Amino acid sequence: MALLNMHGVDFSVGGPLLLEHVDLAIEPGERIALVGRNGAGKSTLLKLLSGELKPDDGDMRVQGGVRIARLEQEVPAGQGGDVFDVVAGGLGELGDWLARYHHLLDAEDLDTEALAQVQARIEAAQGWTLDNRVTETLTRLGLDGRARFDGLSGGMKRRVLLARALASAPDILLLDEPTNHLDIESIDWLEGFLKGFAGALVFVSHDRRFVRALATRIVEIDRGQVTSWPGDWDNYLRRRDERLHAQALENARFDKMLAQEEAWIRQGIKARRTRDEGRVRRLKAMRAERAQRRELQGNVSLGLAEAGRSGRKVVQARGLHFAYGDRVLVRDFDTTILRGDRIGLIGANGSGKTTLLRLLLGELKAQRGEVELGTQLQIAYFDQHRASLREDWNALDNVSQGQEYVEVGGVRKHVMGYLQDFLFTPDRARAPITRLSGGERNRLLLARLFAQPANLLVMDEPTNDLDVETLELLEELLGEYPGTLLLVSHDRDFLDNVVTSTLVMEGDGRVGEYVGGYSDWLRQRPAPAEPASTAPRQAAGSGAREPGSNAGPAAGAPARRKLSYKDARELEQLPGRIEALESTIAALTAEMTDPAFYRRDSAAIMEHNARLGQLQAELEAAYARWAELE
């Protein structure tokens, strides 16, 4: 039985309906990805599901006792207190009492009377179970309840807010852009955590790899219509393209018929005398239908202003060293960047990626070492904080800067027409940028960046808040860019599709250089060192060399010896096992694409999803074992 049902729900914020006649059911154990263009209504639908907004029309039914929690897109401003206070605050008044109890308990001067009063209130409300739940949630998410919330990094703050949502033990968890501003390590952690979440999950994300890893159903919002696509992300892409192609053919057929009828109605006097009144009525109906059609939002038209070629050597760094106090961010780093290189920077939040960029560009002076910039460089910088946008100017002024025309790709364009290529209507182009959404601000920054002639592009987190279509166009543009690119991003697919080499912040000031993108780095990176306390046990179990033996640089690592007969047999059988698992997974996924699948009872759907998850885990383990034996 569905946990939540929406029937014929309409919602408007002025103008055409943002959501029109929405029918949606959420089953137990589902992981639903909400997708759509920026401004399509994804966050609005989450707020409707959580009850924060009420529909203009239609019916919403939540099964009795179902708890719903939502993680917002942005960290709320002004949130203070300890981590325990923030997490317990999601439980309402009882949560406040629990936070008060812990503060009194940790105080230097114990106020026994106040403590007894709070304890009595908690006991009367049977609140100790919730106290245990908050503590367990903090432990599962690796959080210190006594830490100050306002002293945490952006990624850790989002983890605390996730704990706040989970503390209520929701049956439906709603997540709005949970990967925004998280580093790759945190995204991987969140991915693994959500795979083990027992309730239903509805999330919005533009991170394609994140969606591929989690989603069991895709729900698309397009021009007010909400469409459900059972199955994974790749199945959705294929079926969406088929639908759009069929829709385009039908619209073309309708427009041709309408044009013929319009030509007929404009014929001369003789035709008007014998006019078929039924045909006239049909024409009026066709005109009304055409007027109500909502066109597909266009794609951003991206192009780069051309600049002269730089010298062959763009940046030469020798012995770079930089530290803040005792914390070393870059240690003895050497590199040479040549014209045409597309380099990605990977590392945890706060590891020094932006600092390294500034050192390489000469904006920051190294404490040791030197940087030599090449000749004829023209640099364009995309700032992740969007600080280069003037808040007191509108979008038009931020791009034009007093000029009426810009030259892009050898073509001279009026600034308003250029902004329309980035999906800004004249009204939005003249609106103060304080009224623009995050996605619109990112598009504006791209418009400003690409209007500058440049042969060295420096992009610091350009993918935040961009929808998938714009991301793919940006990938294509950067893939064909003839200049040099330095890119900081936590979008793993974006890195794989754009960069040709990576610089990785490996900790303690070490910067590693690797060929290829993110996936290539995963294959090449050195294995993490094992803790000393577990080394002897693992050595005994895996045939590793003993510490202190004459093993050279590979001491402590498993020896590369000939496989045993048993391992050789296992390696021989693994490809067949992997192929069988993939065939079974494909068959189960195909079942989920059948509309009749979701008419089954909830127990059968949950059993099917559990079976699919188990097989996917077995497949991942088989691939890992194959790599190990190889």
Side-chain angles (χ1 to χ4, degrees):
M1 184 176 181
L3 301 174
L4 182 149
N5 277 291
M6 302 178 80
H7 295 290
V9 167
D10 292 340
F11 188 84
S12 173
V13 289
L17 288 172
L18 186 63
L19 298 170
E20 183 176 1
H21 205 74
V22 176
D23 293 322
L24 180 65
I26 300 176
E27 302 286 346
E30 281 195 293
R31 296 199 296 265
I32 300 172
L34 281 182
V35 301
R37 301 299 294 268
N38 288 335
K42 300 184 295 295
S43 297
T44 300
L45 181 55
L46 287 184
K47 291 177 182 177
L48 286 167
L49 291 172
S50 68
E52 295 174 50
L53 294 176
K54 300 299 180 186
D56 298 337
D57 197 9
D59 182 36
M60 283 191 60
R61 295 178 185 173
V62 181
Q63 190 178 323
V66 168
R67 292 183 294 272
I68 302 174
R70 185 171 78 92
L71 175 66
E72 298 177 8
Q73 186 171 352
E74 299 294 339
V75 176
Q79 181 76 58
D82 294 345
V83 167
F84 189 97
D85 300 346
V86 176
V87 174
L91 302 174
E93 186 180 9
L94 182 55
D96 295 336
W97 292 344
L98 291 172
R100 172 72 174 153
Y101 172 79
H102 281 269
H103 279 293
L104 289 170
L105 206 60
D106 293 338
E108 292 183 6
D109 298 325
L110 188 63
D111 187 341
T112 54
E113 185 178 345
L115 187 66
Q117 290 176 354
V118 174
Q119 190 171 351
R121 286 184 173 184
I122 295 172
E123 287 175 351
Q126 298 180 340
W128 296 118
T129 303
L130 291 182
D131 183 65
N132 291 336
R133 189 190 298 165
V134 171
T135 305
E136 287 172 8
T137 304
L138 292 173
T139 303
R140 286 171 63 200
L141 272 64
L143 296 169
D144 179 5
R146 292 188 175 91
R148 294 291 300 173
F149 180 80
D150 50 15
L152 299 178
S153 67
M156 289 303 291
K157 284 180 178 178
R158 290 189 69 77
R159 191 179 292 201
V160 172
L161 294 175
L162 177 61
R164 177 188 175 107
L166 292 171
S168 61
D171 301 289
I172 302 175
L173 179 61
L174 310 174
L175 303 178
D176 197 351
E177 291 288 2
T179 63
N180 257 12
H181 311 295
L182 294 186
D183 55 38
I184 289 176
E185 184 179 352
S186 299
I187 293 171
D188 284 338
W189 171 88
L190 180 62
E191 210 172 87
F193 178 83
L194 292 176
K195 282 181 180 177
F197 177 64
L201 177 67
V202 184
F203 66 98
V204 175
S205 179
H206 295 142
D207 186 322
R208 292 156 292 179
R209 188 168 297 195
F210 188 79
V211 174
R212 278 192 180 95
L214 284 177
T216 58
R217 177 155 64 113
I218 308 294
V219 170
E220 179 193 46
I221 305 178
D222 180 25
R223 290 165 285 174
Q225 303 297 312
V226 174
T227 312
S228 181
W229 305 85
D232 59 16
W233 173 255
D234 294 316
N235 174 68
Y236 155 71
L237 291 180
R238 183 176 63 255
R239 296 181 65 185
R240 182 198 63 175
D241 289 343
E242 291 170 357
R243 182 200 65 181
L244 290 177
H245 178 66
Q247 193 177 74
L249 292 177
E250 175 59 26
N251 286 344
R253 186 195 64 79
F254 180 91
D255 291 344
K256 182 179 179 180
M257 188 183 300
L258 178 60
Q260 291 171 345
E261 294 301 298
E262 293 285 5
W264 171 78
I265 200 74
R266 290 193 295 269
Q267 287 179 4
I269 297 294
K270 182 179 179 180
R272 287 201 298 272
R273 285 176 182 164
T274 59
R275 185 172 299 156
D276 180 350
E277 291 303 323
R279 194 171 177 181
V280 172
R281 287 194 295 272
R282 284 196 300 272
L283 174 59
K284 289 180 179 179
M286 290 176 72
R287 285 173 173 171
E289 183 179 344
R290 180 63 182 86
Q292 291 174 0
R293 184 193 300 171
R294 295 172 67 173
E295 298 291 351
L296 183 68
Q297 184 181 5
N299 282 326
V300 174
S301 177
L302 298 179
L304 281 164
E306 294 182 357
R309 296 179 73 186
S310 67
R312 184 172 181 276
K313 188 182 293 183
V314 176
V315 178
Q316 174 87 57
R318 304 182 189 87
L320 286 189
H321 184 95
F322 190 86
Y324 284 112
D326 296 332
R327 185 174 174 229
V328 179
L329 295 180
V330 179
R331 187 191 301 274
D332 302 326
F333 176 56
D334 301 319
T335 193
T336 301
I337 299 174
L338 302 178
R339 182 181 63 235
D341 286 349
R342 297 197 297 273
I343 299 175
L345 274 72
I346 297 174
N349 287 336
S351 61
K353 299 185 297 296
T354 303
T355 299
L356 179 58
L357 273 183
R358 296 181 63 205
L359 288 169
L360 293 175
L361 296 176
E363 295 178 2
L364 190 63
K365 185 172 177 56
Q367 290 150 351
R368 275 203 317 268
E370 60 179 2
V371 173
E372 180 184 342
L373 295 178
T375 58
Q376 300 176 353
L377 283 185
Q378 292 180 266
I379 302 172
Y381 198 111
F382 184 100
D383 172 25
Q384 66 164 317
H385 302 295
R386 308 174 185 129
S388 59
L389 296 177
R390 283 193 54 167
E391 297 287 325
D392 56 333
W393 286 1
N394 58 26
L396 191 67
D397 292 335
N398 266 284
V399 171
S400 69
Q401 300 188 40
Q403 302 296 318
E404 194 172 349
Y405 292 90
V406 295
E407 189 165 325
V408 179
V411 178
R412 194 163 179 258
K413 292 186 176 183
H414 191 277
V415 176
M416 183 62 76
Y418 175 64
L419 279 173
Q420 287 175 350
D421 289 343
F422 287 80
L423 307 184
F424 285 94
T425 63
D427 287 343
R428 297 303 283 172
R430 293 189 178 94
I433 66 168
T434 51
R435 288 170 51 190
L436 301 183
S437 68
E440 287 174 319
R441 282 183 172 232
N442 251 23
R443 291 206 306 270
L444 177 59
L445 205 53
L446 288 174
R448 176 169 171 168
L449 180 79
F450 293 161
Q452 304 172 32
N455 48 36
L456 173 57
L457 271 181
V458 183
M459 308 189 80
D460 196 351
E461 289 291 352
T463 62
N464 285 341
D465 302 312
L466 292 182
D467 55 40
V468 172
E469 288 81 0
T470 306
L471 273 178
E472 290 173 347
L473 287 168
L474 182 58
E475 281 177 2
E476 185 179 342
L477 177 73
L478 295 179
E480 298 172 353
Y481 178 54
T484 308
L485 173 68
L486 298 178
L487 170 69
V488 176
S489 179
H490 299 310
D491 188 317
R492 296 158 292 179
D493 276 5
F494 193 77
L495 286 166
D496 277 346
N497 295 336
V498 170
V499 305
T500 56
S501 61
T502 50
L503 299 178
V504 183
M505 314 303 292
E506 297 179 331
D508 195 30
R510 296 188 306 276
V511 181
E513 288 192 74
Y514 300 88
V515 175
Y518 171 77
S519 298
D520 299 302
W521 165 65
L522 287 183
R523 288 192 290 269
Q524 299 173 62
R525 64 179 175 177
E530 297 291 347
S533 59
T534 62
R537 176 180 58 82
Q538 292 180 347
S542 62
R545 293 174 177 147
E546 288 293 328
S549 66
N550 188 19
R560 298 182 60 86
R561 300 184 183 275
K562 184 178 178 181
L563 292 176
S564 68
Y565 174 77
K566 181 181 176 182
D567 286 345
R569 286 284 296 161
E570 184 183 1
L571 179 59
E572 183 182 336
Q573 294 168 358
L574 270 172
R577 173 167 168 72
I578 287 171
E579 186 176 350
L581 284 169
E582 288 179 336
S583 298
T584 308
I585 288 171
L588 290 174
T589 304
E591 282 186 49
M592 297 175 69
T593 64
D594 186 348
F597 175 81
Y598 288 96
R599 290 199 288 270
R600 302 180 185 178
D601 61 83
S602 59
I605 293 173
M606 288 180 68
E607 183 180 350
H608 186 99
N609 288 336
R611 173 68 176 149
L612 186 59
Q614 179 187 350
L615 289 173
Q616 287 171 336
E618 289 179 17
L619 181 62
E620 290 173 8
Y623 269 118
R625 180 60 175 160
W626 191 15
E628 181 184 348
L629 292 176
E630 281 281 314

